Amino acid sequence: MSGGYAPGVAGRLRYLLGGRLPGHIEWVRHDLTDAGWPLRVLGRAFIPLVPVIIVAGALPLPGIALHVATALLVVLAWGLTIPAFVQPLRDRRLRQHDLTPPTDDDPPDDPPPQEG
């Protein structure tokens, strides 16, 4: 299977940061369409917040409560906005790799068993 193997560490890092993986098209398709894809997309969307949280924790604020409140505010803002954009984020990544995003009209990969 061409492009079905997983990328190495450098390739995964590039993919996590939004880069393309031209030699791993089937792996990308699996990552963005297999069960659990929404959680993986959410996790990747959280990565850019890590430096923000670190900087917020390093600010010279009085008391630990303000550090915690600042980090909590950032995470809460992420948690209330990013989940609404999971589908468009996935579709953009699929198009970035020249793959067609699935539509609601597409049949599921595993059709339910028929009774009979």
Side-chain angles (χ1 to χ4, degrees), residues 9-98:
V9 174
R12 283 184 190 246
L13 183 60
R14 182 174 55 239
Y15 182 71
L16 284 173
L17 296 175
R20 290 187 47 145
L21 291 176
H24 305 278
I25 298 300
E26 288 304 315
W27 183 85
V28 170
R29 180 191 324 269
H30 175 77
D31 181 57
L32 295 172
T33 60
D34 194 41
W37 71 263
L39 292 177
R40 289 189 294 273
V41 171
L42 285 173
R44 280 191 292 273
F46 185 75
I47 290 172
L49 288 181
V50 172
V52 173
I53 293 171
I54 291 171
V55 168
L59 290 174
L61 300 174
I64 191 73
L66 281 172
H67 292 287
V68 171
T70 303
L72 188 60
L73 181 63
V74 169
V75 171
L76 186 60
W78 170 85
L80 293 174
T81 56
I82 295 298
F85 297 102
V86 169
Q87 186 80 33
L89 286 170
R90 180 197 52 173
D91 292 351
R92 184 193 69 79
R93 291 300 298 265
L94 286 167
R95 284 199 266 326
Q96 177 186 19
H97 288 87
D98 300 322

Side-chain angles (χ1 to χ4, degrees), residues 97-109:
H97 288 87
D98 300 322
L99 298 168
T100 304
T103 63
D104 292 337
D105 299 334
D106 291 342
D109 290 337

